[in-house]
Amino acid sequence: LALGASEQIAAARLAHQLRREGQSIELALAPMRVKKALGEADRAGAKTLYVVGEDELARGVARARNLATREERDVPLPPVGS
């Protein structure tokens, strides 16, 4: 989930990296509220929701939320050009 245009670019880089690692990824291109994204991810059977908001982008991370346990952790965003 990317909350703005700059965040979408970072989220696309993260999605590309995760796909190279063998994960199945859906990228939400339209901005939406986190609560709605959580519901959609849960209905789709996703295990993890990655959020890239303004604060996360400034820190160079995505917030990864395990949908089963609700635990959250920071995941480094890939550098530009990767």
Side-chain angles (χ1 to χ4, degrees), residues 4 7 12 15-16 22 25 28 38 42 45 47 56-57 64 71-72 77 80:
E7 292 85 358
H16 180 71
I25 301 294
L38 284 167
D42 192 44
K47 296 178 183 176
E56 290 81 12
L57 185 60
E71 292 179 22
E72 295 186 5
L77 289 171
V80 175

Side-chain angles (χ1 to χ4, degrees), residues 33-45:
R33 297 187 185 274
V34 173
K35 187 173 182 176
K36 181 177 179 181
L38 284 167
E40 288 188 16
D42 192 44
R43 281 189 293 281

